[in-house]
């Protein structure tokens, strides 16, 4: 079992100029569980996810990782020292929709870079750990490839290896399969299922309802910057009560009916 | 009638003068790369005053012809009590003029990188030094190579302008040679060959570097 973090989000507000992207979000991410954030595009789910490692600066409220507030010293206080923020980010892995692998490095170097620069590993130690992480995502034979020589699914698995090599206690996934061809989605979801089974705390912004239904422990539905519902997937996806959830699921079912 | 002999004889004085062409453009570009990097950093700085300074620097140096800048520098320095040899004034002027273009080339390359490149590094806890040194600059330098080679070639050709402050580089030497031999065609064709040879070498070097550093 990996060590797993919890996340507490309280009264979280985020503004882009006059536009309020997040409106008083309250959400608890329990340790070792998978939480899926779903909702229409522009509903604020990616913004909420990015507040959890402070890639997005929030304007009010609090985000706490294992009780420790991220980004600010205290609620409404000043920015936390950059050094401290970096220390917190070390144990939060993030996987992006566009993979964001570094094109000038091989798969192995992509994974090893953070170990050397952030964790202070020697080059050899880092290469060994990186090779292990790549093996875990099924890419032992691609360690020497540059990202341009990998398929989308392989690139995303390298990106997952890059995150898990750092031994995070929390993994954030920002639409990890949205940029993939349909036939490549499965390999990435399988790696994520393995991680979930190991007890990693995972927050996943996704449109993959199948994944949400089968892997998530809780599903949070967002719309227009608000959290509409948080519940077990069976209750939310199969017997929704809120009209907004019904409407959202309806568009989803229509899109996938053929 | 084209005189092969005059054409060939022109090379000796012109190649001698080519030392100055290479010196002014070589040192000029070196200075331009250093100052350009500083101006680029100022332009991307979080301090508004630094950004303003960079913007003024770039717009002045791009907006005034190099020829006028050379004359200004040549006549201005003695007025404020600095006596430097013409060659130094020429190198400095060419360098700061090039810095304006080079800083914009780098700013463009850095700006063209997807934001996610730096975000991925920040997200695993890298500090600014590693984000810039390991992720952003290595990619930006490679991306900027074609434009830098272009700038370097323009600079070699623009170095003919430093003849106005009395430096005997290729163009000035060929004018003298043409006046002496009364055979301008042969002499200027020789001068063209020299510029062409220098710039073909530069273009080749650029292609080699691009190939070696390809991502």
């Amino acid at each position: 079992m990996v060590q797993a973090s919890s996340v507490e989000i309280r009264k979280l507000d985020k503004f882009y100029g006059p536009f309020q992207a997040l409106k008083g979000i309250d959400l608890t991410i329990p340790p070792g569980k998978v939480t899926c954030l779903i909702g229409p595009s522009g509903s604020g789910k990616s913004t909420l996810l990015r507040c959890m490692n402070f890639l997005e600066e929030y304007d009010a409220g609090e985000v706490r990782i294992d009780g420790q507030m991220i980004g600010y010293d205290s609620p409404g206080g000043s920015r936390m020292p950059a050094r401290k923020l970096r220390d917190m980010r070390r144990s939060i892995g993030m996987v992006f929709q566009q993979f964001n692998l570094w094109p000038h490095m091989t798969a192995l170097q992509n994974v090893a870079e953070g170990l050397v620069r952030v964790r202070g590993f020697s080059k050899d130690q880092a290469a060994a750990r990186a090779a292990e992480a790549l093996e875990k995502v099924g890419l032992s034979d691609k360690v020497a490839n540059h990202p341009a020589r990998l398929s989308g699914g392989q690139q995303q698995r390298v990106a997952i290896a890059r995150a898990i090599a750092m031994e995070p206690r929390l993994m954030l996934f920002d639409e990890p399969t949205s940029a993939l061809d349909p036939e490549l989605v499965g390999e990435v979801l399988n790696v994520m299922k393995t991680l979930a089974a190991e007890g990693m705390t995972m927050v996943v912004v996704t449109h993959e309802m199948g994944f949400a239904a089968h892997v998530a422990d809780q599903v949070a539905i967002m719309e227009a910057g608000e959290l509409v519902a948080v519940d077990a997937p069976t209750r939310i996806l199969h017997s929704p009560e809120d009209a907004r959830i019904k409407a959202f699921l309806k568009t989803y079912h229509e899109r996938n009916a053929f | 009638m084209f005189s092969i002999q005059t054409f060939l004889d022109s090379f000796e004085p012109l190649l001698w003068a080519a030392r100055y062409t290479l010196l002014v453009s070589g040192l000029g570009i070196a200075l331009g790369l250093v100052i350009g990097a500083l101006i680029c950093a100022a332009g991307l700085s979080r301090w508004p005053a630094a950004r303003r300074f960079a913007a003024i620097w770039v717009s002045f140096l791009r907006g005034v012809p190099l020829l006028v800048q050379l004359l200004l520098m040549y006549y201005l320095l003695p007025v404020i009590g600095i006596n430097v040899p013409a060659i130094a004034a020429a190198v400095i002027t060419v360098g700061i003029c090039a810095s304006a273009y080079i800083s914009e080339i780098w700013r463009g390359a850095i700006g063209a990188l997807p934001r996610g490149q730096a975000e991925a590094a920040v997200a695993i806890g890298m500090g600014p030094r590693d984000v810039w040194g390991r992720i952003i600059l290595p990619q930006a330098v490679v991306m900027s190579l074609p434009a830098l080679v272009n700038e370097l070639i323009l600079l070699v050709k623009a170095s003919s302008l430093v003849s106005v402050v009395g430096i005997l580089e290729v163009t000035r030497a060929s004018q003298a040679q043409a006046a002496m031999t009364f055979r301008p065609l042969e002499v200027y064709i020789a001068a063209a060959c020299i510029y062409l040879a220098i710039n073909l070498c530069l273009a080749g070097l650029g292609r080699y570097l691009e190939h070696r550093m390809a991502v």
Side-chain angles (χ1 to χ4, degrees):
Chain A
M1 293 290 272
V2 292
Q3 260 191 307
S5 290
S6 62
V7 186
E8 292 278 338
I9 297 163
R10 292 292 166 259
K11 297 195 182 354
L12 189 68
D13 286 335
K14 165 75 187 173
F15 292 86
Y16 292 110
F19 174 73
Q20 186 165 10
L22 296 177
K23 300 170 184 167
I25 303 287
D26 282 293
L27 178 64
T28 299
I29 313 283
K33 305 284 186 195
V34 177
T35 301
C36 281
L37 300 179
I38 61 181
S41 57
S43 58
K45 44 195 199 308
S46 284
T47 306
L48 175 61
L49 187 81
R50 290 162 57 87
C51 284
M52 295 185 205
N53 63 354
F54 209 64
L55 273 188
E56 210 69 69
E57 298 174 18
Y58 50 92
D59 296 303
E62 35 191 294
V63 176
R64 293 182 179 275
I65 315 289
D66 295 326
Q68 164 76 55
M69 193 166 170
I70 190 164
Y72 301 98
D73 287 335
S74 57
S78 53
R79 287 282 297 271
M80 78 195 306
R83 175 88 208 223
K84 185 118 189 273
L85 180 59
R86 292 207 293 274
D87 282 347
M88 289 190 75
R89 282 174 174 156
R90 267 163 59 150
S91 52
I92 305 173
M94 182 146 192
V95 173
F96 301 85
Q97 181 176 358
Q98 299 297 337
F99 328 134
N100 296 348
L101 292 182
W102 301 310
H104 56 307
M105 300 181 185
T106 64
L108 190 82
Q109 289 167 335
N110 264 279
V111 181
E113 188 66 21
L115 294 168
V116 173
R117 301 283 149 187
V118 180
R119 296 285 303 272
F121 280 40
S122 74
K123 283 228 163 96
D124 291 344
Q125 282 174 315
R129 166 74 69 81
E132 269 173 48
L134 285 167
E135 189 184 349
K136 191 167 175 186
V137 298
L139 290 174
S140 289
D141 53 334
K142 303 287 182 195
V143 288
N145 286 37
H146 280 81
R149 305 288 306 275
L150 296 170
S151 73
Q154 291 168 339
Q155 289 188 55
Q156 193 60 299
R157 284 188 282 152
V158 172
I160 294 173
R162 175 171 69 180
I164 62 177
M166 301 289 289
E167 299 180 305
R169 297 195 289 271
L170 165 67
M171 285 281 291
L172 309 175
F173 293 86
D174 191 0
E175 301 203 26
T177 59
S178 298
L180 296 176
D181 290 337
E183 75 271 21
L184 302 176
V185 168
E187 60 188 79
V188 172
L189 291 182
N190 282 335
V191 170
M192 291 168 63
K193 282 178 198 163
T194 311
L195 266 182
E198 288 173 7
M200 176 74 76
T201 308
M202 292 167 53
V203 186
V204 186
V205 172
T206 188
H207 296 289
E208 292 292 331
M209 292 302 178
F211 181 83
H214 295 117
V215 183
D217 297 287
Q218 69 174 0
V219 172
I221 303 219
M222 292 191 67
E223 191 183 291
E226 287 178 76
L227 210 50
V228 179
V230 185
D231 211 335
T234 43
R235 273 203 293 274
I236 282 204
L237 301 176
H238 296 161
S239 47
E241 284 158 19
D242 190 294
R244 284 179 294 183
I245 304 175
K246 280 183 186 158
F248 173 67
L249 291 177
K250 185 155 173 280
T251 62
Y252 181 80
H253 287 311
E254 279 165 2
R255 186 153 48 93
N256 284 275
F258 53 86
Chain B
M1 188 61 210
F2 188 86
S3 161
I4 300 282
Q5 197 53 49
T6 315
F7 171 70
L8 293 175
D9 287 345
S10 310
F11 275 97
E12 202 201 329
L14 295 194
L15 283 173
W16 191 246
R19 290 178 313 157
Y20 286 104
T21 294
L22 288 174
L23 185 75
V24 169
S25 44
L27 287 180
I29 195 92
L31 193 64
L33 287 169
V34 173
I35 302 176
L38 295 174
I39 294 300
C40 179
L44 297 170
S45 155
R46 72 182 108 137
W47 295 297
R51 290 202 299 272
R52 180 128 0 111
F53 175 79
I56 292 170
W57 179 275
V58 169
S59 50
F60 175 79
L61 291 166
R62 287 199 309 196
V64 176
L66 177 58
L67 185 59
V68 175
Q69 289 178 34
L70 280 161
L71 291 167
L72 267 177
M73 183 69 90
Y74 187 63
Y75 289 112
L76 192 72
L77 285 181
V79 171
I80 56 173
I82 303 171
N83 276 306
V84 291
I87 185 79
V91 165
I92 292 168
T93 311
V94 168
I96 59 176
C97 180
S99 77
Y101 293 93
I102 291 170
S103 75
E104 285 295 281
I105 288 171
W106 276 336
R107 202 172 60 90
I110 289 166
L113 276 184
R115 204 171 58 138
Q117 286 291 306
E119 275 187 352
V122 167
I124 61 172
M126 276 196 211
R129 214 178 58 189
D130 288 331
V131 174
W132 282 93
R134 302 288 304 175
I135 308 300
I136 297 177
L137 292 181
Q139 294 187 62
V141 165
V142 175
M143 280 168 54
S144 68
L145 266 180
L148 275 182
V149 169
N150 214 25
E151 176 61 25
L152 195 52
I153 287 172
L154 284 173
L155 207 68
V156 168
K157 294 185 292 185
S159 72
S160 62
L161 295 174
V162 304
S163 58
V164 296
V165 293
I167 292 165
L168 191 77
E169 42 63 67
V170 173
T171 302
R172 178 77 177 263
S174 48
Q175 284 170 335
Q177 191 70 8
M180 208 165 72
T181 58
F182 300 107
R183 290 245 168 223
L185 189 63
E186 287 83 347
V187 175
Y188 287 128
I189 289 175
C193 289
I194 290 175
Y195 279 115
L196 190 61
I198 295 173
N199 285 330
L200 286 177
C201 288
L202 284 175
L205 178 72
R207 268 197 305 276
Y208 169 75
L209 286 177
E210 264 176 66
H211 179 73
R212 252 201 61 175
M213 297 164 78
V215 288

